[in-house]
Amino acid sequence: MPRFFTAAFVLLCSPAALALVPPDYQEPPSALTSEVEAGFQLNTGNTKSTSFNGRTKVVYDTDDMRQESLFKAYFAADDEETTSEKYEIQLQSSYKFYNGYAFGRGDFTWDKFGSYTRISTISGGYGFDAIANSSTTLSLEIGPGYRYNLPIATDSLISPESNSEVILRTAAKFEQKLQEYTSLNADLTSEIGEENNTLTLDINYKNTLFQDWAFKVGFNVKYTEVVPEGSQQTDTITTFNLLYTFQ
């Protein structure tokens, strides 16, 4: 029996056996990828405040379909009270065919201090890649949808009523690989309704530090045409995060 194990060990270590597994072998790319990023800030001394933002994205992409989910969270507080608390969920299913894809999408927002504390949008439609090569991608989408809004309570309107309407949603999703380890992404989305219109721009710059770790700078601005009394039409969020990618 010892001779059997010795012979097996010699066979496994032989050049013929090693040739079966090349030194530069890599696992085939997975259809499932995910990203987790977070940023935290703590100020002490004359100014005492804490802020946190996190983002998780999961994508399942095959030849026939693409499933994508995104979760975002924002929180900020000073030494007296919470000043910001917002959560977002985005879900999209796309079914590919010859020259484009059909999609169904859901966007849900809970914003304690926003002009609208609850926003839910369900939409669907058609999308296609206007540009698709190794360094640049531009996807365009259009389709109808339905939006529900709940305005924030004010001194003059303690119990505001929700409103809902049919909308037309259009979106442009741009991705540019600047260098081997850097990329720029920009998403522009508009929602046009009879009672209200919104325009959202989401831009981020990502620089890979090593392996699956990256530093990411993000800027999000949303314009809402009709807002409750005392609210601002434009909201902006700037983030500086560390990002880890699972593949």
Side-chain angles (χ1 to χ4, degrees):
M1 187 63 68
R3 292 182 180 179
F4 171 78
F5 287 113
T6 302
F9 177 78
V10 172
L11 180 60
L12 290 174
C13 294
S14 66
L18 293 177
L20 297 176
V21 183
D24 58 348
Y25 172 79
Q26 295 182 352
E27 293 289 339
S30 172
L32 180 65
T33 61
S34 60
E35 298 177 348
V36 177
E37 66 179 79
F40 178 78
Q41 179 176 317
L42 175 64
N43 297 328
T44 60
N46 294 322
T47 302
K48 296 181 180 180
S49 64
T50 303
S51 65
F52 168 82
N53 77 89
R55 172 182 173 274
T56 300
K57 181 179 181 180
V58 179
V59 177
Y60 182 74
D61 194 0
T62 65
D63 294 336
D64 300 325
M65 61 187 299
R66 177 183 174 92
Q67 309 287 347
E68 183 175 342
S69 62
L70 180 65
F71 173 75
K72 299 179 182 179
Y74 305 93
F75 175 84
D78 56 25
D79 55 349
E80 295 181 355
E81 60 182 358
T82 300
T83 57
S84 176
E85 187 176 353
K86 182 179 181 180
Y87 307 96
E88 296 181 8
I89 296 177
Q90 299 174 6
L91 305 171
Q92 180 164 331
S93 295
S94 302
Y95 297 89
K96 306 175 184 178
F97 45 87
Y98 176 71
N99 57 352
Y101 56 91
F103 71 89
R105 182 180 176 91
D107 295 84
F108 310 95
T109 300
W110 297 264
D111 189 355
K112 185 176 181 180
F113 299 93
S115 56
Y116 292 91
T117 58
R118 300 287 188 275
I119 305 174
S120 299
T121 304
I122 304 296
S123 60
Y126 170 77
F128 68 97
D129 292 333
I131 302 174
N133 54 52
S134 59
S135 60
T136 306
T137 302
L138 174 61
S139 300
L140 304 177
E141 297 179 351
I142 186 170
Y146 181 82
R147 181 176 60 203
Y148 165 89
N149 292 329
L150 178 63
I152 192 171
T154 62
D155 294 337
S156 59
L157 190 60
I158 300 177
S159 300
E161 294 184 359
S162 62
N163 57 75
S164 57
E165 61 179 328
V166 176
I167 62 166
L168 176 67
R169 176 185 176 273
T170 60
K173 302 179 180 181
F174 176 77
E175 181 177 352
Q176 177 68 51
K177 188 175 181 180
L178 303 175
Q179 296 179 352
E180 184 178 1
Y181 299 106
T182 59
S183 62
L184 177 68
N185 294 268
D187 293 349
L188 180 64
T189 304
S190 70
E191 295 180 1
I192 301 174
E194 184 177 353
E195 299 182 6
N196 206 350
N197 303 316
T198 65
L199 184 65
T200 305
L201 176 63
D202 193 353
I203 301 176
N204 65 76
Y205 169 82
K206 183 170 67 174
N207 184 16
T208 301
L209 302 176
F210 52 90
Q211 294 183 344
D212 299 324
W213 289 93
F215 175 70
K216 183 178 177 182
V217 180
F219 177 72
N220 179 281
V221 55
K222 181 176 182 179
Y223 171 81
T224 304
E225 184 176 6
V226 180
V227 296
E229 180 182 357
S231 299
Q232 299 291 326
Q233 290 180 305
T234 304
D235 291 318
T236 61
I237 300 175
T238 303
T239 57
F240 302 88
N241 292 349
L242 279 178
L243 179 147
Y244 184 79
T245 302
F246 299 88
Q247 293 184 344

